[in-house]
Amino acid sequence: MATNMNRHTQSTPPRRSFLTNMGLGFGSLALGVMLNQDGVARADWAPPTGVPHFPPKAKSVIWLFMNGGVSQMETFDPKPMLTKYAGKTIAETPFADTQDPKKLAIERLVAPDGNGRQRNKLYPLQVGYKRHGQSGIEISDWFPHIAGQADRLAVVRSMWTTDSNHGAQAQFHSGRHRNDGSFPTLGAWVHYGLGSLNDNLPQFISIGKREYWNKRDGYYLGPAHDAVPLRIDPNNPLDFSRPGTPISPQSQQIGRQLLEELNDLRGEQYPDDPEMEARIASYELAFRMQSSIPEVVDFAQETAETKSLYGIDKPHSKDFGMQLLASRRLVERGVRFIQIQHGGGGAGAWDSHSGLKKNHGKLALAVDQPIGGLLEDLARRGLLEETLVIFCSEFGRTPGSQGSDGRDHHIFGFTVWMAGGGLKGGVVHGATDEIGFHAVEDRHYVTDVHATILHQLGLDSRQLEIPGRKRLEIDHGKPIREIIA
Amino acid sequence: MTTCAILPAKFLPLAATWLLIVTCLNVCSVSAATADEASAKYESHVKPLLKARCYACHGAWKQKAGLRLDTAKFILQGGDSGEAIVPGNAKASPILDRVATNDVSQRMPPEHEGEPLKADEIKLIRDWIEAGAPAPEAEEPEHSPKDHWSFRPIERPALPQVKNAQWVRNPIDAWIAARHEQQGLAPQKEAPRIVLLRRVYLDLIGLPPTTEEIAAAQADTSPQWYENIVDKLLADPRYGERWGRHWMDVWRYSDWWGLNAQLRNSQKHIWHWRDWIVESLNEDRPYDEMIQMMLAADELAPNDPQELRASGFLARNFFIFNRDQWMDEVVTHVSKGFLGLTMNCAKCHDHKFDPIRQVDYYRMRAFFEPYHVRTDVVPGATVSDDGIPRAFDGKLDTPTYLFIRGDESRPDKSHAIEPGVPEILAFGEIDIQPVELPVQAWRPESRRWVLDNYIAAAEESLKAAKKKQGETAEAELLVAEANLKSIQLRAAAITAEIEGDDAARQQTRQDAIQAQRELAFAKARLELLSAETSLAKVAEKDRKEAEKKLATAKESLKKQSDLLKAEIKPEDKVEPFVGAKWSATRFGSTQRDDPEFAFPSTSTGRRTALARWITDKRNPLTARVAVNHLWNRHFAAPLAPVPFDLGRNSAPTPYPELIDYLATELIDHQWSMKHLHRLIVTSATYRMSSSQAGMEANLAKDPDNQFWWRRRPIRLESQAIRDSILYLAGTLDPTMGGPSVPTKEQANSKRRSLYFFHSNNERNPFLLTFDEAEVTECYRREQSVVPQQALAMTNSDLVLQSAQQIAQRISASAMDDQQFVRQAFVTIVGIDPTKRELAAGLKALQDWNQVAGDSGDKARGHLVWILLNHNDFITVR
């Protein structure tokens, strides 16, 4: 026992010096607390220092998540066989073996809600495709602006997941099936692992509506690692970002001075109190945030040309364009992780069980120009090299039709793409079979995307692991080496 | 962490001895220095690796294949199949083959039991074997899990003798002082009275003392002043609200949530369980009894709605779609919350650290397998408006199967798993006795208030019918009268069926059925009248339709009229009342509710047996876990570092005897939590100042205060922050209990925060900012420091409006600015202000008075606003 106790005292990292060394960034304040609690609990463990584990290629991530399930076949993974065999059941085509029950066994249902079923009758492609850029990547005609960036994209056509309910939204963010419980999302891990690039701004921001199963981020890392929800409204960008009842700047200034003085005076009776020091620092940050946050979502300084690049001048792409312009401004100012939820709430806007053509066509119009504009704008400003942009969705959609004109949920093969952040441009990696059913070449579970992003940020997920929270091999995933430049 | 840190200080001489032996015997040709290094490396690297990856099967608890790997001697001994290593010859050592092979059938650790060792880990073992497998001579084998502190029987420990006896107020302090003396630490002096007062108020009732209470305490000359206040606070009903919230964290209280209107998790009206917790704490109900009720009120008090509220603990775990996830949460949190065991780790494989086999996880699940959830009708309401969500054994014969590797799609149906507990924690038989339920429990429609609800509703409609006017009014009145009569007679029939003799049963049944027929007849007559009336008014184009309706109504009346005269047959039924509503599940793949089933007249008794085992005085874990939770919530740091895991994977506690002392106190005082609170808050340990001033010597030895030489300051919990602000403003609504305040009403509500609707889905934004409890798991509250908290405290309406109200209240008794500033410090932050603090406050008041529109009351409000943002408002010093 005596030995163990010695071990305790000797190995518990000195919280005090840690807080001062870290420059008291957002992450570090939260970390200081973690350290306080868990440093006591586990002797042979130290929390992250905020410094990458190896030299990073990227500094920031813009995470574009399309809620509801994007059809891989009508976006980035053309399957002419669907048109050729349209109306035939899969069993009648040469691809009957795709429905081999053994291959379907990866599915784990949360709710038998009637969706996510096998849809047998092949549904033809609802949109045309062309090759784009020097790379000649095939992209559907609904995405002309993204297509204009083809040579910057690394398209991964061989994703798979296991939850065919929309809880897969949470699974895509955390890597875990909902039946396993709730786990930290990728953004929370990044926030936990990396120090701040700008102490005037939260380092993990979320924009857009989220459904309940996908509402939070920190979980066992703590609520301090939840994303801070941001609204694109300079007058009300954050909860509590300005006084509910107006107070004159002069009176605020008097108050601030008094608070500083009183905390200092209290410090005479309670010297070197780390919690008090952290709190004082948090007030300083909050004060700076009050001006820095509205500034980020105020586009007065942006040119008309830039706004139009993002489609802000068109009604159908205005909202998403503003979110992405704000994202660029956040990246510029050193925010680590910007999580954007498009079409969030309920099952998600992309969930085209019927009327797929109309639905996907309309949503593509809303997101295409903003995304194309974002990539172009980042590249022009030299930010794309250090910013990793990812376009993703919880799963794909069935090659077969649901009803007369929809596609159902599909977990066995779907597409994501990434750009920037030290990845290759103009590459396609992995493939589904000829009807887009199963990922067959270079298959990747969702955590491989996480591993790729963490790798580019210089983080090793194993070194971030928390004692008592054993992660599985599959939770860590493997970086997709083939798309890393 | 450096190598030195884990080496016992006495290691080196022993290694030297070993080294001598090695050299003398000339076992291998490595140089002395290399063997020395290798031995050190064994201790620092190889042994931890073996411990983490191999001891679970080859250690003190289990010796698969007869092999133990927990000392070098055991390793040399080998196992059933011969030697494990050949010192100096890695190639000839089978152990290396087994960890390095690509053949998964041969590989160690076996597939699904652990990841393969990595190349650098294999190299560690290889190098050690090559170096001759040296190890310190007096290497201690791994302790048997039976010797683990929390698995041993609880015994009252003898008090340690300490030098600093005058500091000791009660036995808690003796153990704290013993460690102080061992570590060369001196305890901090007692906190100033005003600080102590604020601390104990916030701790016990979650609200600060009022100005008057502070003044009274400061003037109290009794040596018992503090103890008197503690007694008063423990008797205050707000104690139950404060500690109720703590236990709601641990027991995972959550209002219902789901997708839009569809309830998927927890239950509506679950607040009854919250109220039961608050009331039980206020009554100081024994902790063991509370556990028993939460796990098995339906078997222990099947007819007592007040007690049935307790089984909200189980109703909360309802999950509409997936039984395995539901059961997993129950097993996980019954184990973590009550037993400090991570049984969830054994879902897929045997536990790697604790003596819990995979089957034990499923044995635990089997206790819960039969239970379902229903909502019992309460007086004066239908189940959609109110009712008591509760557990009941609904599917008595559902077997529990072990899932191969935890995979729910691979149940091992070769045999069903019976309820049981891990062998190491077994003391005597688990006695499972089926419970014959009283009839009102399984036929809740026969409860008096259910009958009364129906009768009252019928009387209500009769009253309404009497007021009606119009062509059909008379017929409607007749329907309402027939309805009341039928309800009354049905109620009589239900009662007679249960309580009456054969004759009464026969008669009431006949009467009820006849009354039902009369009601049907009256309704048919009304229908006919309506049809005639509308036909008279109908437009020509709808005439056909109306004529058709009339014909149907005539036919129907004829049928009912005939039925009135017909003989009552055996198959005729008295229409049942609804006394409870099953919370329908959707486990089947039908998109519809699973089929309903009748409430069984017996309960399996499994959960009662489990509850009795958990709360048996011989259970080594329950009381230890309870006192650790209590300590944690008083001090914001537990004695055993992980409240939900007292097993072998947690860092050892420096205070096992103190935990045992507290556990025996709990058990010996009829599991009274108030007894424990009193003991803790009256200890010298609790009463210390949180300052580090003048404690440089301590700081050098124990900078993080691991040995409790000062009080740790605590960041107030989310609810206590909001409640305190409203309380100081005089606007806190003291109403206790009742339905949760819906999210949309919270901004204007002044109720205590524990009454706010709080689910995985819906959380109050102000409370969320301050580390609101996670409903999924919250054994400890986080105490983060983030700038959003500063924004909420400076900018929220709650703070800004309350600041003005607080200023007005203080102004009522403090006329001049000097008095005002002093009183504001005392009341809001619990500070007797120094001259400089006073001066700073006064200066700011003057400055605000100079700002246009901010003078006078507003300036005072600003001062309060800043004091609410003072570090020591949000902090329990």
Side-chain angles (χ1 to χ4, degrees):
Chain A
M1 181 53 75
T3 313
N4 285 329
M5 270 161 35
N6 285 336
R7 198 174 67 176
H8 256 278
T9 1
Q10 285 175 23
S11 61
T12 304
R15 181 164 40 115
R16 203 161 295 95
S17 58
F18 176 77
L19 277 170
T20 26
N21 290 346
M22 280 297 293
L24 289 163
F26 270 76
S28 62
L29 285 169
L31 276 175
V33 174
M34 289 287 301
L35 191 89
N36 179 18
Q37 295 208 340
D38 292 335
V40 181
R42 304 288 170 173
D44 52 353
W45 170 81
T49 58
V51 178
H53 302 127
F54 44 86
K57 296 282 166 44
K59 286 183 183 166
S60 301
V61 177
I62 299 177
W63 176 269
L64 306 173
F65 191 78
M66 306 295 122
N67 283 272
V70 171
S71 165
Q72 66 278 24
M73 290 83 62
E74 270 88 15
T75 53
F76 303 99
D77 190 13
K79 293 295 161 188
M81 286 300 161
L82 294 184
T83 307
K84 181 173 175 190
Y85 290 100
K88 293 256 189 313
T89 63
I90 294 175
E92 292 164 351
T93 68
F95 320 113
D97 69 332
T98 55
Q99 288 180 311
D100 178 349
K102 269 190 234 132
K103 291 185 183 171
L104 305 178
I106 60 168
E107 183 182 22
R108 287 173 71 193
L109 269 181
V110 176
D113 62 2
N115 296 318
R117 301 259 174 104
Q118 286 296 306
R119 303 293 169 183
N120 297 320
K121 202 189 279 181
L122 289 179
Y123 188 53
L125 289 186
Q126 298 300 303
V127 61
Y129 269 85
K130 284 185 201 67
R131 292 187 179 276
H132 294 274
Q134 295 196 327
S135 55
I137 297 178
E138 287 170 288
I139 294 173
S140 92
D141 296 344
W142 283 336
F143 298 92
H145 292 88
I146 295 176
Q149 305 290 323
D151 291 341
R152 296 193 166 117
L153 307 184
V155 181
V156 182
R157 287 177 173 161
S158 49
M159 299 302 304
W160 61 274
T161 187
T162 64
D163 183 354
S164 52
N165 297 115
H166 291 288
Q169 287 163 11
Q171 185 172 21
F172 201 99
H173 287 80
S174 74
R176 272 296 184 93
H177 191 282
R178 269 182 75 215
N179 282 358
D180 295 343
S182 301
F183 296 84
T185 66
L186 181 67
W189 283 112
V190 171
H191 189 252
Y192 172 64
L194 285 180
S196 171
L197 295 172
N198 179 345
D199 284 349
N200 299 337
L201 289 171
Q203 292 290 294
F204 180 18
I205 279 176
S206 120
I207 304 175
K209 194 172 176 203
R210 306 169 72 177
E211 193 41 77
Y212 82 85
W213 47 67
N214 184 26
K215 217 168 194 170
R216 319 258 335 277
D217 300 285
Y219 291 109
Y220 67 67
L221 295 176
H225 298 287
D226 279 347
V228 174
L230 181 77
R231 289 180 288 264
I232 312 300
D233 175 0
N235 292 315
N236 187 23
L238 288 184
D239 286 341
F240 313 118
S241 55
R242 56 175 49 203
T245 328
I247 301 174
S248 72
Q250 211 182 337
S251 285
Q252 291 200 41
Q253 179 58 25
I254 297 167
R256 216 163 26 247
Q257 270 173 2
L258 174 63
L259 183 61
E260 212 169 286
E261 196 179 345
L262 292 182
N263 281 330
D264 280 353
L265 287 172
R266 199 61 173 156
E268 290 175 5
Q269 284 164 56
Y270 295 93
D272 300 319
D273 179 335
E275 283 83 7
M276 186 147 82
E277 284 167 21
R279 188 149 297 281
I280 291 168
S282 79
Y283 271 77
E284 289 162 7
L285 290 183
F287 175 60
R288 295 197 297 271
M289 260 169 76
Q290 271 174 292
S291 50
S292 57
I293 293 260
E295 190 270 336
V296 172
V297 293
D298 180 355
F299 302 148
Q301 302 303 313
E302 298 288 340
T303 65
E305 195 272 340
T306 304
K307 288 182 199 165
S308 128
L309 186 64
Y310 284 84
I312 292 174
D313 52 353
K314 299 186 184 106
H316 54 254
S317 51
K318 181 182 173 205
D319 287 350
F320 200 61
M322 284 170 62
Q323 295 182 5
L324 296 205
L325 178 53
S327 305
R328 189 217 79 211
R329 292 172 64 84
L330 289 165
V331 162
E332 237 169 6
R333 285 157 182 75
V335 171
R336 285 289 190 189
F337 203 104
I338 301 131
Q339 183 198 72
I340 300 201
Q341 305 279 344
H342 181 262
W350 290 82
D351 193 26
S352 307
H353 291 286
S354 62
L356 179 130
K357 185 172 184 176
K358 191 174 159 213
N359 179 276
H360 269 45
K362 189 181 86 190
L363 296 171
L365 203 59
V367 304
D368 173 51
Q369 188 172 353
I371 295 174
L374 172 72
L375 294 179
E376 181 61 29
D377 196 22
L378 287 173
R380 283 183 193 171
R381 291 166 197 261
L383 290 169
L384 190 59
E385 263 310 291
E386 56 191 46
T387 307
L388 201 158
V389 180
I390 169 166
F391 176 96
C392 51
S393 177
E394 65 261 41
F395 39 52
R397 307 208 74 87
T398 49
S401 66
Q402 180 175 15
S404 61
D405 59 357
R407 296 190 190 275
D408 206 340
H409 309 167
H410 190 75
I411 61 168
F412 304 100
F414 63 103
T415 300
V416 304
W417 61 253
M418 291 179 257
L423 299 178
K424 289 177 186 166
V427 294
V428 172
H429 172 72
T432 47
D433 54 40
E434 288 186 272
I435 56 170
F437 199 113
H438 291 286
V440 288
E441 270 173 34
D442 298 318
R443 291 163 51 79
H444 294 289
Y445 178 60
V446 295
T447 49
D448 291 349
V449 168
H450 300 186
T452 308
I453 293 172
L454 290 176
H455 180 268
Q456 296 308 92
L457 292 169
L459 289 175
D460 172 2
S461 58
R462 285 179 174 76
Q463 292 187 49
L464 296 176
E465 221 170 276
I466 308 266
R469 301 288 183 179
K470 175 75 186 149
R471 300 186 79 194
L472 308 177
E473 193 69 22
I474 197 168
D475 297 340
H476 293 292
K478 291 191 181 75
I480 308 174
R481 299 276 171 194
E482 294 86 344
I483 63 168
I484 295 173
Chain B
M1 141 168 217
T2 62
T3 306
C4 304
I6 83 157
L7 284 182
K10 58 187 179 179
F11 167 73
L12 287 173
L14 282 170
T17 325
W18 173 247
L19 193 93
L20 265 176
I21 298 165
V22 170
T23 334
C24 295
L25 296 178
N26 201 15
V27 172
C28 57
S29 57
V30 284
S31 72
T34 323
D36 191 3
E37 265 170 37
S39 178
K41 197 135 193 193
Y42 168 72
E43 279 277 302
S44 65
H45 286 78
V46 178
K47 213 170 160 173
L49 173 69
L50 297 175
K51 182 176 183 198
R53 309 299 301 279
C54 314
Y55 285 13
C57 298
H58 302 288
W61 180 244
K62 277 186 282 185
Q63 301 86 39
K64 290 206 172 158
L67 179 64
R68 278 183 80 150
L69 300 172
D70 51 321
T71 65
K73 263 189 195 144
F74 283 131
I75 299 173
L76 279 169
Q77 263 174 28
D80 297 342
S81 56
E83 64 205 358
I85 62 165
V86 181
N89 188 350
K91 270 200 179 132
S93 300
I95 199 173
L96 262 187
D97 284 347
R98 296 299 291 276
V99 295
T101 180
N102 289 325
D103 177 354
V104 284
S105 69
Q106 288 295 304
R107 196 195 71 209
M108 287 288 153
E111 201 185 12
H112 311 297
E113 295 280 325
E115 292 167 27
L117 300 192
K118 297 189 185 70
D120 56 332
E121 292 171 330
I122 295 170
K123 184 170 182 296
L124 277 175
I125 301 174
R126 180 184 295 117
D127 290 352
W128 176 66
I129 297 174
E130 285 292 347
E137 170 77 336
E139 205 191 352
E140 269 202 42
E142 190 196 20
H143 290 296
S144 160
K146 283 187 177 157
D147 297 331
H148 181 67
W149 72 275
S150 67
F151 298 153
R152 285 193 304 250
I154 303 174
E155 280 165 24
R156 184 176 282 270
L159 275 184
Q161 292 301 313
V162 294
K163 295 193 201 90
N164 193 9
Q166 82 282 2
W167 181 74
V168 172
R169 283 180 181 270
N170 72 30
I172 290 172
D173 304 321
W175 275 285
I176 299 294
R179 287 276 177 262
H180 287 165
E181 288 169 13
Q182 206 174 53
Q183 302 288 325
L185 300 165
Q188 180 58 288
K189 62 181 187 316
E190 184 164 309
R193 187 173 285 206
I194 189 171
V195 169
L196 194 51
L197 196 62
R198 185 170 192 267
R199 178 186 300 168
V200 75
Y201 264 78
L202 285 166
D203 186 17
L204 293 182
I205 64 167
L207 299 168
T210 62
T211 309
E212 296 73 31
E213 285 165 334
I214 296 170
Q218 283 181 322
D220 191 344
T221 53
S222 155
Q224 290 293 307
W225 73 274
Y226 179 75
E227 286 75 8
N228 292 342
I229 282 171
V230 169
D231 286 342
K232 186 184 94 171
L233 294 176
L234 286 174
D236 189 316
R238 294 171 299 182
Y239 153 79
E241 295 180 312
R242 164 66 167 167
W243 280 80
R245 188 52 253 184
H246 282 316
W247 289 110
M248 284 157 74
D249 286 8
V250 175
W251 297 332
R252 306 197 323 139
Y253 178 87
S254 176
D255 288 291
W256 74 274
W257 79 91
L259 183 62
N260 303 319
Q262 184 187 40
L263 181 148
R264 294 184 169 186
N265 296 79
S266 188
Q267 289 289 297
K268 293 192 174 153
H269 325 309
I270 195 83
W271 57 267
H272 283 291
W273 171 39
R274 177 242 290 144
D275 285 357
W276 178 86
I277 295 172
V278 172
E279 290 164 26
S280 301
L281 293 174
N282 278 333
E283 291 161 19
D284 199 18
R285 286 195 70 174
Y287 177 73
D288 60 341
E289 209 177 289
M290 288 184 73
I291 293 180
Q292 287 165 13
M293 287 300 161
M294 287 197 291
L295 289 174
D298 58 312
E299 292 177 340
L300 297 166
N303 240 348
D304 182 344
Q306 295 302 309
E307 292 291 48
L308 285 168
R309 294 180 299 165
S311 82
F313 174 81
L314 290 175
R316 178 258 175 267
N317 289 295
F318 175 86
F319 178 48
I320 189 171
F321 290 129
N322 190 308
R323 185 61 164 182
D324 300 316
Q325 193 182 343
W326 175 353
M327 288 288 113
D328 186 45
E329 291 199 19
V330 175
V331 172
T332 298
H333 295 290
V334 165
S335 307
K336 281 184 170 182
F338 297 141
L339 296 165
L341 276 183
T342 52
M343 289 209 69
N344 51 307
C345 297
K347 183 180 178 187
C348 311
H349 50 67
D350 291 353
H351 203 288
K352 293 296 175 204
F353 300 95
D354 294 325
I356 302 167
R357 294 168 302 155
Q358 189 190 358
V359 70
D360 292 331
Y361 170 93
Y362 295 91
R363 278 149 59 99
M364 180 64 86
R365 170 172 168 156
F367 284 109
F368 299 99
E369 199 73 74
Y371 103 82
H372 272 252
V373 172
R374 72 185 209 206
T375 302
D376 282 10
V377 168
V378 293
T382 59
V383 281
S384 56
D385 295 332
D386 195 359
I388 294 173
R390 47 155 290 187
F392 73 104
D393 273 2
K395 304 272 177 107
L396 307 187
D397 303 323
T398 311
T400 301
Y401 295 121
L402 184 143
F403 294 157
I404 295 164
R405 296 203 300 275
D407 180 348
E408 66 261 22
S409 66
R410 298 184 60 198
D412 174 6
K413 292 197 173 170
S414 64
H415 64 285
I417 307 284
E418 294 300 322
V421 301
E423 192 188 318
I424 197 165
L425 298 169
F427 39 83
E429 287 290 293
I430 299 287
D431 184 23
I432 299 174
Q433 294 297 334
V435 179
E436 287 299 327
L437 297 171
V439 68
Q440 287 89 352
W442 60 278
R443 293 201 53 191
E445 70 275 18
S446 64
R447 287 173 170 159
R448 188 62 244 169
W449 62 87
V450 176
L451 307 179
D452 289 347
N453 279 359
Y454 275 89
I455 292 167
E459 283 170 345
E460 223 23 66
S461 3
L462 179 59
K463 225 190 254 172
K466 280 181 177 162
K467 285 183 193 144
K468 278 216 164 168
Q469 290 184 348
E471 294 164 71
T472 59
E474 201 185 321
E476 281 180 65
L477 183 62
L478 289 173
V479 168
E481 280 167 353
N483 181 50
L484 177 60
K485 186 179 167 201
S486 131
I487 294 280
Q488 282 165 336
L489 291 172
R490 277 160 70 195
I494 291 167
T495 310
E497 195 190 329
I498 287 157
E499 295 165 6
D501 55 22
D502 273 353
R505 241 178 258 161
Q506 192 67 15
Q507 188 57 48
T508 53
R509 175 175 170 274
Q510 298 250 0
D511 294 348
I513 292 169
Q514 192 59 31
Q516 283 170 193
R517 290 173 174 183
E518 281 165 19
L519 172 61
F521 177 73
K523 280 181 178 168
R525 215 166 36 188
L526 173 61
E527 206 51 44
L528 179 64
L529 191 60
S530 308
E532 283 170 353
T533 321
S534 31
L535 183 64
K537 294 181 203 157
V538 82
E540 197 48 43
K541 67 175 171 59
D542 296 327
R543 171 166 290 277
K544 247 204 171 132
E545 187 63 23
E547 279 171 349
K548 214 163 142 194
K549 267 198 181 145
L550 181 65
T552 318
K554 276 184 178 157
E555 205 174 303
S556 168
L557 182 65
K558 167 89 175 56
K559 207 172 119 196
Q560 295 304 339
S561 167
D562 293 347
L563 201 57
L564 266 184
K565 293 165 227 150
E567 194 189 340
I568 289 174
K569 296 188 199 119
E571 65 266 26
D572 287 333
K573 284 208 163 62
V574 178
E575 286 168 38
F577 287 167
V578 176
K581 191 166 183 293
W582 173 56
S583 299
T585 55
R586 293 192 165 197
F587 301 154
S589 301
T590 60
Q591 297 184 61
R592 267 184 251 116
D593 289 350
D594 296 327
E596 280 209 55
F597 53 91
F599 302 141
S601 62
T602 58
S603 194
T604 60
R606 292 184 187 186
R607 286 177 283 108
T608 298
L610 176 68
R612 294 229 157 96
W613 171 76
I614 290 176
T615 55
D616 191 299
K617 288 175 185 176
R618 290 168 294 175
N619 190 311
L621 288 164
T622 309
R624 284 178 170 128
V625 170
V627 300
N628 199 43
H629 282 310
L630 286 167
W631 185 279
N632 178 36
R633 300 280 163 165
H634 278 294
F635 290 98
L639 285 170
V642 186
F644 64 79
D645 185 6
L646 267 55
R648 300 201 304 161
N649 192 33
S650 283
T653 167
Y655 295 98
E657 307 91 345
L658 174 53
I659 293 176
D660 285 3
Y661 163 74
L662 293 169
T664 53
E665 279 295 306
L666 182 66
I667 294 170
D668 292 350
H669 287 79
Q670 287 75 49
W671 301 83
S672 160
M673 286 196 258
K674 286 191 180 176
H675 173 69
L676 262 279
H677 292 308
R678 193 174 286 113
L679 207 54
I680 288 171
V681 303
T682 56
S683 68
T685 305
Y686 183 88
R687 295 172 67 160
M688 281 188 288
S689 166
S690 65
S691 176
Q692 305 185 124
M695 307 303 277
E696 287 71 19
N698 282 359
L699 268 171
K701 289 174 194 147
D702 179 16
D704 290 305
N705 190 31
Q706 309 242 354
F707 295 101
W708 307 95
W709 53 263
R710 68 168 177 129
R711 164 83 183 185
R712 284 161 208 250
I714 301 173
R715 212 291 311 291
L716 269 176
E717 298 85 354
S718 53
Q719 293 91 356
I721 294 171
R722 180 181 162 278
D723 294 356
S724 294
I725 294 169
L726 293 172
Y727 185 62
L728 288 170
T731 55
L732 186 70
D733 177 350
T735 309
M736 291 182 75
S740 299
V741 179
T743 310
K744 60 179 189 306
E745 292 170 20
Q746 290 175 4
N748 295 318
S749 171
K750 308 291 185 207
R751 298 286 306 280
R752 279 193 86 163
S753 308
L754 90 151
Y755 298 119
F756 276 15
F757 195 94
H758 172 65
S759 75
N760 196 42
N761 234 5
E762 292 180 63
R763 297 144 71 96
N764 176 282
F766 183 88
L767 299 178
L768 185 59
T769 309
F770 296 92
D771 306 302
E772 179 66 318
E774 293 282 356
V775 300
T776 45
E777 180 169 330
C778 185
Y779 294 105
R780 287 183 77 171
R781 278 288 179 100
E782 297 282 338
Q783 294 188 53
S784 72
V785 182
V786 294
Q788 292 94 303
Q789 293 164 358
L791 290 176
M793 289 305 286
T794 45
N795 294 338
S796 66
D797 282 334
L798 170 71
V799 170
L800 291 171
Q801 286 166 10
S802 298
Q804 294 297 332
Q805 290 159 334
I806 295 168
Q808 281 163 22
R809 297 185 90 208
I810 296 174
S811 292
S813 62
M815 297 319 288
D816 66 34
D817 278 356
Q818 176 106 8
Q819 275 178 330
F820 178 83
V821 174
R822 178 179 295 282
Q823 199 53 58
F825 268 97
V826 168
T827 306
I828 298 164
V829 253
I831 292 176
D832 273 326
T834 61
K835 269 188 192 145
R836 285 160 70 200
E837 282 170 326
L838 262 184
L842 279 168
K843 168 82 172 41
L845 262 191
Q846 279 166 14
D847 290 348
W848 276 313
N849 273 309
Q850 303 301 313
V851 179
D854 275 4
S855 58
D857 286 352
K858 252 195 147 177
R860 288 186 169 191
H862 287 336
L863 181 81
V864 172
W865 171 53
I866 291 307
L867 288 178
L868 291 173
N869 278 280
H870 193 295
N871 178 68
D872 281 12
F873 173 74
I874 216 171
T875 304
V876 184
R877 272 273 164 225

